Amino acid sequence: MSLLEVEGLRIEFPSRHGTAVAVKGVSFTVEKGEILGLVGESGAGKSTVGNAVIDLLSAPGIIAGGNIKLDNLTISGLHGEAMRKIRGRRIGFIFQDPMTSLNPLLTIETQMVETIMVNLDLDKAAAFEKAIELLESVGIPEPAIRIKQYPHQFSGGMRQRVVIAIALSGDPELIIADEPTTALDVSIQNQILELIRELCKKRQVGCLFVTHDMGVIANVTDRVAVMYMGDLVELGTTEQILCRPEHPYTQSLISAVPRTDVKLHRFPSVEYIEKAEGNQIDVKNHWLGEQEVFGNPSGDVLLKVRDVDLRFETQSAFFKKNRRYVQASNKVSFDVRPGETFGLVGESGSGKSTIARVIAGLYPPDAGSIEFAGQDITRLTEKERKPFRRQIQMVFQNPYSSMNARMTVRDIIAEPIRFHDLAESERQVNQIVSDLLDHVGLGRASGVKYPHEFSGGQRQRISIARALATRPRFLICDEPTSALDVSVQAQILNLLKDLQEELGLTMLFISHDLPVILQMCDRIGVMKMGSLVETGDTDRIFSDPQHEYTQHLISMMPRVENLSHEGLEIEAQVAHV
């Protein structure tokens, strides 16, 4: 008898435009102590299956057919209080987007203690001790202090660790992990995977592991189920799926995984998304067109970051001596040359995103300076800085929180085009937006939808399209592909490479995905606890790291090509499956 049995699951979303079938008769099992990986493109139905198991389908989604059983108990028809007794206690759920699954108005302590008291029937003191223990187990430093803080005071990776701790708080029989390591650096990712593996093996806990990261699949799962457009196209052991995939779609997914054994000029891509018909403009020549240039474009250095210090107050007090701070960046200095991609790597909370926000003008530094094209932009007034805002654009780590939920996707992308007067007419605005949507793999028809109607990976594509809409000269990419599956990641990274080569686009690329950093960046800076500990050419950093922390990061880099790339066609393409 399996722990989880999914039989012929069909999920539909009725609407006035017709019925969309998100999951088409999917069947699989999860055994006690087993980790089953569920992989596929964004929008394939992976997260929908996980949500259906715990009765969290978004309206108007319904289970139109099939059954879901937990330890031989049918749970697919349970709702309300009956499901609440199972959700949290018997089934733990790790959500993809930590910011939207945490209450921004409540401290971490309030949210964790309340959950533990409900799930384990503990008193408040015992629940608090359990919360501290859980935070420590998922790698949050100083848990007794950090538990008093609010979600916005944590980095993306730290918030994800909090969500994982909450999911584990009820000692569940089954864990559904929806992209649980998306926002985590390699070292913390390794800790979380070890934690999940240990939980599954020692306590015989089953795990449905939803992810697009084939490196994670290779390291943690026992079996793999591959989904495409709502169908389960292949199911087998991890070794069989990675080494001997039978379905052409599975082969294409594995071929698109970033390599760590060789640096490629382009990422192997999977061209399966049909482009919308109709007249299209030349994106690269039109919407990026002739860029305005501010400052001196001919210098050897486009961006100079010099001795940037920034700290955040973690504990307020009337007397200054009693206040507590965290040093987010400590005398950080580096240069970015015109036309290159400079990478920043390091653990969550190391200060990577903080530096990016200082460059973008979102945080004023406590000390130091930032020069862009010979101009110190930290000394400019808001009015003086406006022309530079078009030149420096940012793709944020959390796509959903960076969008207006009440605006359509078309208006979200069109807003900066209209604000900066980059089109001659509204017809041209619509043409540019449509072409951008095509180029990031969403299709122009998606422009009429709202952000909540997209998966996490699809929302990240919208963010990238919006950032590119202003014809930027310098692009800050803060984990731009962390929520993308490997084939769409390949498309987006190839697009960024094309734009860089043809237009001299300069990028600051922040990522915890070391294989992507290896393929994308010309030079790398390694950050640890707010300090830049090592910089150098990408090839040198990966082949001969000098700092022990850099050596530690590279040693834990997932390497899936040893299993998967042998015998596969790197240029595999899928037109129709």
Side-chain angles (χ1 to χ4, degrees):
M1 183 176 64
S2 300
L3 175 63
L4 177 69
E5 297 179 43
V6 177
E7 302 172 350
L9 182 64
R10 181 180 176 88
I11 299 173
E12 297 179 352
F13 286 82
S15 72
R16 62 186 179 187
H17 302 296
T19 299
V21 182
V23 178
K24 307 169 184 176
V26 168
S27 299
F28 61 84
T29 61
V30 179
E31 307 298 327
K32 294 180 180 179
E34 179 189 40
I35 302 176
L36 175 70
L38 195 59
V39 301
E41 304 292 326
S42 295
K46 310 185 301 296
S47 298
T48 303
V49 169
N51 290 334
V53 172
I54 59 170
D55 191 37
L56 285 183
L57 282 176
S58 301
I62 57 170
I63 296 178
N67 289 305
I68 302 171
K69 294 181 180 180
L70 178 68
D71 205 11
N72 212 34
L73 170 68
T74 300
I75 62 173
S76 50
L78 298 182
H79 304 287
E81 187 61 31
M83 179 54 74
R84 277 193 290 273
K85 291 179 180 178
I86 293 175
R87 190 190 301 133
R89 295 189 180 189
R90 299 189 64 185
I91 303 177
F93 201 105
I94 304 171
F95 292 93
Q96 180 177 3
D97 191 342
M99 196 59 180
T100 56
S101 58
L102 293 173
N103 190 327
L105 301 179
L106 300 177
T107 64
I108 300 302
E109 177 185 3
T110 301
Q111 298 182 63
M112 289 196 69
V113 168
E114 180 183 11
T115 303
I116 294 169
M117 289 174 67
V118 170
N119 289 337
L120 299 181
D121 296 323
L122 298 177
D123 60 30
K124 191 170 183 179
F128 179 80
E129 292 300 320
K130 177 74 172 177
I132 295 294
E133 179 186 327
L134 285 166
L135 290 179
E136 189 172 10
S137 71
V138 297
I140 292 184
E142 300 182 309
I145 296 174
R146 300 305 301 273
I147 198 172
K148 303 290 185 181
Q149 297 177 346
Y150 291 84
H152 73 272
Q153 295 176 283
F154 288 74
S155 67
M158 293 258 186
R159 284 194 292 265
Q160 188 66 292
R161 289 181 239 178
V162 172
V163 171
I164 292 170
I166 292 174
L168 299 176
S169 65
D171 294 328
E173 303 167 38
L174 173 71
I175 296 173
I176 301 174
D178 188 2
E179 303 282 5
T181 59
T182 291
L184 303 182
D185 50 80
V186 288
S187 59
I188 300 302
Q189 173 180 278
N190 191 58
Q191 292 178 26
I192 296 303
L193 296 180
E194 282 291 337
L195 184 65
I196 293 175
R197 270 197 298 261
E198 182 181 356
L199 196 68
C200 291
K201 301 307 176 188
K202 287 188 176 181
R203 304 186 189 180
Q204 288 298 288
V205 173
C207 180
L208 179 61
F209 202 103
V210 179
T211 183
H212 63 265
D213 191 329
M214 301 304 286
V216 169
I217 286 292
N219 290 340
V220 76
T221 61
D222 301 300
R223 291 189 300 138
V224 181
V226 183
M227 290 191 67
Y228 176 69
M229 295 184 68
D231 285 317
L232 191 65
V233 297
E234 190 164 359
L235 176 64
T237 66
T238 302
E239 182 184 6
Q240 182 262 307
I241 293 294
L242 293 181
C243 298
R244 299 177 299 279
E246 297 176 357
H247 199 281
Y249 175 67
T250 310
Q251 295 171 2
S252 70
L253 273 184
I254 295 171
S255 72
V257 176
R259 304 288 294 268
T260 60
D261 57 340
V262 61
K263 189 164 185 175
L264 305 174
H265 178 67
R266 290 182 63 79
F267 288 83
S269 59
V270 185
E271 301 293 342
Y272 68 94
I273 298 175
E274 294 184 3
K275 303 294 184 183
E277 295 181 359
N279 296 325
Q280 295 186 30
I281 57 174
D282 186 336
V283 175
K284 297 183 180 72
N285 288 332
H286 186 90
W287 60 267
L288 278 165
E290 187 67 31
Q291 292 182 328
E292 293 180 58
V293 174
F294 300 92
N296 177 21
S298 61
D300 294 332
V301 176
L302 178 64
L303 182 77
K304 289 183 181 180
V305 178
R306 290 291 180 270
D307 297 324
V308 170
D309 275 358
L310 183 62
R311 64 179 183 172
F312 296 106
E313 187 178 284
T314 58
Q315 180 177 304
S316 60
F318 180 77
F319 295 105
K320 195 178 257 188
K321 66 178 182 179
N322 293 330
R323 296 173 190 167
R324 298 192 66 172
Y325 298 89
V326 59
Q327 192 73 29
S329 63
N330 183 25
K331 296 191 180 302
V332 173
S333 299
F334 60 87
D335 295 336
V336 182
R337 302 162 187 156
E340 80 167 348
T341 301
F342 185 86
L344 275 182
V345 300
E347 294 181 293
S348 297
S350 63
K352 308 185 302 296
S353 297
T354 299
I355 289 295
R357 283 165 168 74
V358 171
I359 294 171
L362 301 178
Y363 293 156
D366 294 327
S369 65
I370 295 173
E371 292 185 12
F372 180 77
Q375 176 74 50
D376 186 351
I377 57 178
T378 59
R379 304 290 184 264
L380 299 178
T381 64
E382 186 60 30
K383 183 177 180 181
E384 293 170 333
R385 195 182 180 99
K386 183 179 177 181
F388 287 92
R389 290 199 181 279
R390 208 198 87 187
Q391 294 279 295
I392 303 174
Q393 285 294 303
M394 187 166 179
V395 179
F396 292 93
Q397 181 177 359
N398 189 333
Y400 194 64
S401 63
S402 66
M403 297 179 195
N404 189 330
R406 297 185 178 183
M407 293 174 65
T408 64
V409 167
R410 183 170 298 280
D411 285 334
I412 287 171
I413 298 174
E415 186 177 32
I417 300 173
R418 295 173 181 137
F419 182 79
H420 291 287
D421 296 323
L422 301 181
E424 297 176 359
S425 64
E426 192 61 26
R427 180 179 177 277
Q428 195 176 58
V429 169
N430 291 331
Q431 189 91 10
I432 295 169
V433 171
S434 296
D435 215 51
L436 279 167
L437 287 170
D438 280 341
H439 273 72
V440 296
L442 287 173
R444 55 187 60 197
S446 62
V448 299
K449 298 180 180 179
Y450 291 84
H452 73 273
E453 298 180 77
F454 294 87
S455 67
Q458 290 170 324
R459 286 196 289 261
Q460 189 66 291
R461 295 180 234 174
I462 298 167
S463 297
I464 292 170
R466 178 183 57 188
L468 294 175
T470 64
R471 305 193 299 216
R473 187 176 172 198
F474 186 81
L475 192 62
I476 303 170
C477 300
D478 186 4
E479 303 282 6
T481 59
S482 64
L484 301 182
D485 49 77
V486 289
S487 62
V488 176
Q489 171 180 272
Q491 295 172 11
I492 296 302
L493 295 177
N494 282 336
L495 174 62
L496 291 174
K497 280 194 169 190
D498 289 343
L499 294 172
Q500 183 178 34
E501 289 177 4
E502 296 183 25
L503 303 159
L505 190 66
T506 306
M507 288 190 287
L508 175 64
F509 199 95
I510 298 169
S511 180
H512 65 267
D513 192 331
L514 292 179
V516 169
I517 286 286
L518 171 63
Q519 298 294 337
M520 283 296 295
C521 300
D522 302 299
R523 291 187 301 122
I524 300 173
V526 182
M527 292 196 69
K528 180 183 180 183
M529 297 180 68
S531 297
L532 197 64
V533 298
E534 185 172 0
T535 59
D537 292 339
T538 301
D539 292 338
R540 201 275 297 165
I541 292 286
F542 276 86
S543 62
D544 185 27
Q546 300 299 306
H547 197 277
E548 61 180 1
Y549 177 68
T550 311
Q551 297 168 2
H552 169 70
L553 283 181
I554 293 176
S555 70
M556 290 188 297
M557 180 171 60
R559 291 174 170 85
V560 72
E561 70 276 350
N562 295 336
L563 291 173
S564 61
H565 285 289
E566 242 178 79
L568 290 180
E569 291 294 329
I570 293 302
E571 296 297 334
Q573 294 185 352
V574 176
H576 297 283
V577 178

